[in-house]
Amino acid sequence: MIRIRTVNRRRVVLLFILIIALFYLFSHVLLITNKINLYINKQFLLEEIGSSSLVEEDFLKSHISNVLPVINVLKQGKTSSIAEDKDIRWFVEFVTGFDLRKPATIMSSQILLMKKYENQMVRALGPGYESAVWNPSVGEKKSLSASNDADISPEDNDTEEYKNQVGSEEESGKEVVERTIVNASGSEFAEGIYIKNEAKKDINIAQLLKEDLKIDLSAKGPQVLLIHTHTSEAYNPTQKNNYTPSDPDRTEDPKYNVVRVGDEIEKNLKSMGISVIHDTTVHDYPSYNGSYKMALESIQKQLKKYPSISVILDIHRDALIYDDGKKLKVTAEVGQEKAAQVMLVVGTDAGGLTHSSWRENLKLALRMQKKFTELYPNLARPINLAPYRYNQHTSFGSLIVEVGANGNTLEEALASSKYIAKTLAEVLKEIKK
C-alpha cells in the first residue's frame, strides 16, 4: 500500500508539472512564434525592406518603442504606465504575443503583413492619407504649441533676431508666424554650434571639429549629388510663385517645389567650379511613404555611374504648424535680403539600422555649420542629430538640408540657395587643402 501511494503521488506531481508546463507554453506560444519570426526575418526586415512603401520601418520601430511605455492604464484607482505594470504586460503577452518591453516583437509579426496588404490599405485610406500617418520633411510632422514651439526655446525670445508677426499680404493660405531660430530647447552647445541631439548620442563638438574628414575629393568627375527624397515639397504660394497644390504645401511642378531650390544650388555650385549632379527623380509619388527606399535606389544608381561623388545633399523643406493651424516661417536677414533659415539633419544608427559612418556625416555638418555662423550669422538653425538613418550610410558626406519650412515662400528659399552653395564650396575648399 505504501508503495502504491508513493507511485500515485509521483504521478500527481508529474501531471501537475505537465499541466503547468503546457499552460506556460500555451500562454507564450504567440510570443515564442513572434520571436522565431523576428529571428528568421531580422536581416530581411533591416536590410532588404529598410523602408516599405507604406511606412518607414526604422521610423515605425522607434515610434512603437517611444509610444508604448508612456501609455497609462488606470487600475484600482491608480495610474501607471504599461511598461511598469506586470499584470498588463502579462495579459497583453497572453492575448497577443507582444512583449511590451520589446516592441520589435510587434514588428516581427506585423510588418510583413503590412507589406503584403499595403495596396489595399492605401486604397482604403484614400488620397492624402500620408499627412495623417506621417507628414514630415524628414521623418515626422512637427506640431507646435502657440506658447512653446517644439524646437524653439524661451531663450530665442531674448535675441535681437527674434520675430513674431503675421505673414505679409502677398502670402496666401493660412496665417503665418515668422521667427528666427538660433537655439533649441535641450541643445548641446560648443564652438558656437548648437546641436539638437534627438539620437541621444555621446558627441564632442570641439573634438569632432578637429578631426580630419574621410571625404575624398581627389577623383575626377562630379563631386556633389543633389537629390530630393520628398520631391513634391513646396512653399507658401505668393503672387509671384503661385501654384495649385496637389496636397497641402505640395506640388509635382518642379518650378515651385524643392527641385527649383536644388536647381539654384546646382547653378551656384557650378559657378564656383564644383561639378554637380542634380537628380530630379520624383520619389514621393504616388506613395509618399516609401520615398526613402526609392531615393536610395536613385543614390546607388548615381554612385555607380559617378563613383567620384563624395557629398550627397538631400534637399528638403521642413513642415512646422501650430496647433491653431498657423504655419511657421523661419527666416534670417542676410545683408538687406530676407532668406529662409537652413537646418542640417544628420542621421544615425539609433533607430536600429546599420550606419557606422554617421560621425563622418556629422563632422561635415559641423564644418558647414561653423562656416554658416562665420559667413551668414543666424541663417542656420541648430543641427538636428536624428535617430533615423535617412540613406546617409551611402557616403561619408551625406546630409539632409532643410531649406525653410512650409510657412516660407519660394523666394526666401531661393535666396538661401546661393548661401548654401557658397558655404559648401568654402568647406570643400578647406577639405582639399
Side-chain angles (χ1 to χ4, degrees), residues 55-89:
V55 64
E56 305 294 345
E57 185 264 341
D58 55 339
F59 167 76
L60 177 62
K61 179 167 62 176
S62 179
H63 178 69
I64 292 172
S65 299
N66 291 332
V67 170
L68 280 178
V70 299
I71 296 177
N72 291 332
V73 295
L74 183 65
K75 188 177 71 172
Q76 297 178 348
K78 296 182 179 180
T79 301
S80 62
S81 73
I82 284 181
E84 296 171 351
D85 195 295
K86 295 181 180 179
D87 295 335
I88 295 295
R89 289 206 313 264

Side-chain angles (χ1 to χ4, degrees), residues 144-150 152-154 157 162 164 179 322-324:
L144 307 176
S145 166
S147 61
N148 184 20
D149 299 346
I152 305 176
S153 72
N157 299 349
Y162 170 79
N164 186 3
R179 290 191 171 182
Y322 286 91
D323 292 337
D324 61 3

Side-chain angles (χ1 to χ4, degrees), residues 213-216 309-312 356-365 392-399:
L213 281 70
K214 292 184 179 179
I215 294 174
D216 183 7
I309 291 174
S310 297
V311 175
I312 302 172
S356 59
S357 60
W358 67 265
R359 284 185 178 81
E360 291 301 319
N361 294 332
L362 178 57
K363 286 194 285 187
L364 174 61
Q392 293 181 10
H393 61 298
T394 51
S395 80
F396 292 137
S398 292
L399 298 173

Side-chain angles (χ1 to χ4, degrees), residues 8 29 172 174 218 233 276-277 290 328 351-352 369 387 401:
N8 287 340
V29 65
S172 62
K174 298 179 180 178
S218 61
E233 289 177 336
V276 184
I277 298 297
L328 176 62
Q369 192 81 355
V401 183

Side-chain angles (χ1 to χ4, degrees), residues 8-213:
N8 287 340
R9 286 176 182 173
R10 287 177 180 173
R11 287 178 178 175
V12 171
V13 171
L14 289 173
L15 181 61
F16 179 76
I17 293 173
L18 180 60
I19 291 172
I20 294 296
L22 289 173
F23 177 78
Y24 180 85
L25 181 63
F26 175 75
S27 66
H28 288 72
V29 65
L30 288 175
L31 182 59
I32 293 172
T33 301
N34 282 349
K35 287 181 177 179
I36 294 173
N37 188 37
L38 177 63
Y39 177 79
I40 294 173
N41 294 294
K42 184 176 181 181
Q43 291 304 313
F44 175 69
L45 287 170
L46 296 181
E47 296 177 8
E48 298 299 326
I49 62 164
S51 59
S52 88
S53 58
L54 176 65
V55 64
E56 305 294 345
E57 185 264 341
D58 55 339
F59 167 76
L60 177 62
K61 179 167 62 176
S62 179
H63 178 69
I64 292 172
S65 299
N66 291 332
V67 170
L68 280 178
V70 299
I71 296 177
N72 291 332
V73 295
L74 183 65
K75 188 177 71 172
Q76 297 178 348
K78 296 182 179 180
T79 301
S80 62
S81 73
I82 284 181
E84 296 171 351
D85 195 295
K86 295 181 180 179
D87 295 335
I88 295 295
R89 289 206 313 264
W90 178 87
F91 177 76
V92 173
E93 286 183 17
F94 179 77
V95 174
T96 67
F98 299 155
D99 185 345
L100 295 175
R101 294 163 299 182
K102 300 177 180 178
T105 60
I106 298 178
M107 292 187 59
S108 65
S109 64
Q110 295 299 311
I111 196 149
L112 295 180
L113 200 61
M114 292 172 66
K115 183 71 176 175
K116 180 178 180 181
Y117 293 105
E118 63 180 321
N119 291 330
Q120 292 93 315
M121 293 178 72
V122 170
R123 287 197 295 270
L125 290 168
Y129 78 93
E130 61 273 13
S131 62
V133 179
W134 187 28
N135 181 21
S137 174
V138 293
E140 59 181 328
K141 183 176 181 180
K142 302 174 183 67
S143 178
L144 307 176
S145 166
S147 61
N148 184 20
D149 299 346
D151 60 350
I152 305 176
S153 72
E155 289 83 355
D156 296 325
N157 299 349
D158 299 328
T159 66
E160 294 180 0
E161 294 76 22
Y162 170 79
K163 301 180 181 69
N164 186 3
Q165 59 192 42
V166 175
S168 62
E169 293 180 358
E170 71 168 352
E171 293 165 354
S172 62
K174 298 179 180 178
E175 288 184 319
V176 175
V177 175
E178 180 177 357
R179 290 191 171 182
T180 298
I181 302 173
V182 296
N183 189 5
S185 180
S187 293
E188 299 185 29
F189 177 79
E191 304 292 323
I193 295 173
Y194 289 97
I195 296 182
K196 191 171 184 180
N197 191 352
E198 294 182 348
K200 309 299 181 186
K201 289 290 188 179
D202 184 16
I203 56 174
N204 186 321
I205 297 174
Q207 179 60 39
L208 289 170
L209 278 170
K210 294 177 182 177
E211 295 180 9
D212 292 334
L213 281 70

